Amino acid sequence: MPESNERGALTEAVFYILLALYTPMHGYRIMQTVRDLSSGRVDLGAGTLYGAINTLLEKKWIQPVAGEQDSRKKEYAITPLGKSVVESEIKRLQDLIETGRKIVRGI
């Protein structure tokens, strides 16, 4: 996973995790949502997901959601910084597609 969106592209998995967390959710639900959003293309294992979650927490792109004390399921949500990263990635992808279309169409 890149250190910041400005230094490189997000992986597809990280992009989908961040999108999923626009709605707070716990790990298993994140895995299901990512699989659904990607039409099955990205199927995260627990180790991969929790490694990504730890990295995203360190970068402050996501945060834990305060929940019930007795709940064993931790929920996470995207932060304003994480939303900024997603917006930057969307812009980067749009530019990539626009350039590709120009070349393919011979413009």
Side-chain angles (χ1 to χ4, degrees), residues 17-18 20-26 30 56-57 60-66 74-80 82-83:
I17 291 168
L18 290 172
L21 291 176
Y22 271 75
T23 300
M25 60 184 70
H26 57 80
I30 295 169
L56 295 171
L57 286 167
K60 303 199 184 318
W61 292 0
I62 66 171
Q63 64 190 8
V65 174
K74 276 190 178 176
E75 285 197 330
Y76 303 94
I78 193 167
T79 63
K83 288 178 180 180

Side-chain angles (χ1 to χ4, degrees), residues 1-4 14 18 21 51-64 76-86:
M1 183 173 359
E3 288 187 17
S4 82
V14 167
L18 290 172
L21 291 176
I53 285 174
N54 287 332
T55 300
L56 295 171
L57 286 167
E58 288 173 11
K59 294 180 180 191
K60 303 199 184 318
W61 292 0
I62 66 171
Q63 64 190 8
Y76 303 94
I78 193 167
T79 63
L81 178 58
K83 288 178 180 180
S84 174
V85 169
V86 168

Side-chain angles (χ1 to χ4, degrees), residues 82-96:
K83 288 178 180 180
S84 174
V85 169
V86 168
E87 289 294 328
S88 294
E89 181 67 357
I90 289 169
K91 171 76 170 94
R92 187 191 72 78
L93 292 169
Q94 287 172 329
D95 290 346
L96 188 84

Side-chain angles (χ1 to χ4, degrees), residues 65-75:
V65 174
E68 299 174 17
Q69 293 281 14
D70 59 350
S71 176
R72 290 178 26 188
K73 295 180 181 179
K74 276 190 178 176
E75 285 197 330

